[in-house]
Amino acid sequence: MSAKQNFFLPSSRGLRVFFQLLGFALLFLPLPLRAESLEDAAHDLAMKVCLGAHKQAVRVAWQGSPQSSGYLSYAPRRIFLDQISACGMAAADNAGAPILTVTMQVTASEALLIADWMDTAGGRQTYMVEIPRPSLFVARDTAAAPQLQRELLWQQEKPIQSALEWQDAGTQERYLFLISEGLLLRCRFENGAWRMVDSAELQVDGRRSRGGEESIVYSHRKGRLELVLHNGSCDVNTSGRITFTCSAGGFSEKSAELTSTCEDAPRSLSSGKGDYTQVDRIRLERGVGNGTESRVSMEESDSSSVDMPGPVVDISVAENQKAASAVVKNLSTGSYEVYRITAVCSN
């Protein structure tokens, strides 16, 4: 008497084992070299790095080109960083950590997302994912534009010519500088409110200035606060009692470029064309502008805006370009107000 030996698994169990083995095998196969979107490419590139690199902290450096400007923005970066972090390669600021450079190159037909780094063993690792060029246009056209938001910081009855919110890098204290009726005023944020600290007179040719040709700016070229007085510049000293030193012909640059939470390239801020008897709005647009000196039409298509309760007197941008200070004359109350302007993204 003999019996046949069954070498086959039951169908349900066999399928389950088959798919488990297939999934395990796919994990170690090279990922496709071509992705259908920039976000997919960022994820695929991160997976390539995870599978081929040692699990360690890395310093991630982002490099682009004029052709790739605006593409390698917040969303793909966040996807890439989240994925390598999940694989045990958290991004770090440690100077001793190896540098992982992510580069984007754009050609006429495609874009290349490249990761290149030197591991701790001294070996160079390079990974690459391709994206069809048309997918980049779709991504740019469908991406959510940053939206402007406003927050009231200060209001008073006396006229304000200019204002700037600033944080001391050493003490981390927050200050609000105002120019009002020939005075440079300094306020400090304490216990949830702004409190006046000190002031200094603005002297022009030996006389106290009361004109509208003064503003306070942050000079990115010099890395410090400056006063613009009748086309001249003055360095502001914030240690101890507030003082400033002026130099002849040292005109400081006046720009109003704001960076949003989801874009790398800054956009310009501008106000409307109306006079000082009409309400106004502040717009965020592509390109470079000069605050209230760069005025555009109400029909600007590539912009987001925020309504203000009156004419915009002045716009100044903080040192990190993440926030701007706008002076507005409120037509309903007659008072002068200072608003913090930021650009945020819904996604």
Side-chain angles (χ1 to χ4, degrees), residues 58-325:
V58 294
R59 287 186 292 159
V60 180
W62 305 91
Q63 291 184 357
S65 64
Q67 293 77 16
S68 65
S69 177
Y71 290 119
L72 204 57
S73 58
Y74 176 82
R77 290 191 184 200
R78 188 72 269 160
I79 291 172
F80 181 87
L81 293 175
D82 287 345
Q83 184 58 57
I84 64 170
S85 179
C87 296
M89 299 180 64
D93 295 328
N94 182 10
I99 299 177
L100 172 61
T101 303
V102 180
T103 307
M104 185 174 181
Q105 299 178 1
V106 180
T107 68
S109 60
E110 64 186 7
L112 299 177
L113 203 59
I114 306 168
D116 181 86
W117 77 308
M118 187 79 70
D119 60 23
T120 53
R124 180 171 295 280
Q125 307 290 333
T126 302
Y127 309 94
M128 183 184 306
V129 177
E130 299 178 0
I131 313 105
R133 184 68 181 268
S135 298
L136 296 182
F137 293 116
V138 172
R140 174 169 285 182
D141 292 340
T142 58
Q147 300 298 312
L148 289 182
Q149 293 185 349
R150 74 181 198 189
E151 179 184 355
L152 181 63
L153 299 179
W154 182 270
Q155 57 184 352
Q156 66 180 44
E157 294 182 358
K158 295 181 179 179
I160 301 175
Q161 282 79 47
S162 183
L164 180 64
E165 190 179 10
W166 178 75
Q167 186 172 27
D168 188 287
T171 65
Q172 299 301 308
E173 290 185 306
R174 290 168 54 194
Y175 293 97
L176 180 63
F177 292 90
L178 308 169
I179 295 180
S180 176
E181 294 194 317
L183 292 173
L184 173 62
L185 310 171
R186 177 169 59 169
C187 306
R188 182 167 52 219
F189 194 73
E190 298 178 358
N191 301 321
W194 295 102
R195 185 180 69 85
M196 191 75 67
V197 177
D198 56 7
S199 64
E201 284 194 13
L202 305 181
Q203 299 287 343
V204 179
D205 297 330
R207 295 176 291 106
R208 183 172 176 177
S209 174
R210 292 184 178 272
E213 300 181 19
E214 309 91 2
S215 62
I216 183 165
V217 301
Y218 181 83
S219 172
H220 293 276
R221 181 172 56 86
K222 296 182 179 179
R224 61 182 304 155
L225 293 174
E226 285 192 333
L227 284 171
V228 177
L229 299 178
H230 300 276
N231 296 329
S233 68
C234 307
D235 294 335
V236 179
N237 179 21
T238 58
S239 60
R241 187 169 182 83
I242 186 172
T243 59
F244 56 90
T245 305
C246 302
S247 58
F251 180 69
S252 175
E253 74 273 13
K254 171 71 171 177
S255 65
E257 297 175 34
L258 192 66
T259 302
S260 69
T261 59
C262 57
E263 293 182 325
D264 300 316
R267 298 195 186 198
S268 62
L269 290 173
S270 63
S271 57
K273 287 184 174 181
D275 58 28
Y276 289 125
T277 64
Q278 300 176 350
V279 295
D280 206 344
R281 67 173 55 179
I282 295 176
R283 293 178 178 79
L284 183 69
E285 305 156 29
R286 297 188 187 277
V288 179
N290 295 304
T292 55
E293 297 178 1
S294 175
R295 299 179 181 269
V296 298
S297 66
M298 300 286 286
E299 293 78 21
E300 173 64 41
S301 58
D302 187 15
S303 66
S304 65
S305 63
V306 59
D307 292 330
M308 308 307 292
V312 176
V313 178
D314 185 68
I315 302 175
S316 294
V317 178
E319 68 274 14
N320 58 8
Q321 291 189 305
K322 296 294 185 181
S325 301

Side-chain angles (χ1 to χ4, degrees), residues 2 16 19 42 46 48-49 91 96 129 177 195 256 267 272 307 334 339:
S2 62
R16 184 170 63 253
F19 284 117
K48 284 178 175 289
V49 172
V129 177
F177 292 90
R195 185 180 69 85
R267 298 195 186 198
D307 292 330
Y339 289 87

Side-chain angles (χ1 to χ4, degrees), residues 1-6:
M1 183 175 181
S2 62
K4 293 183 179 179
Q5 187 173 1
N6 187 3

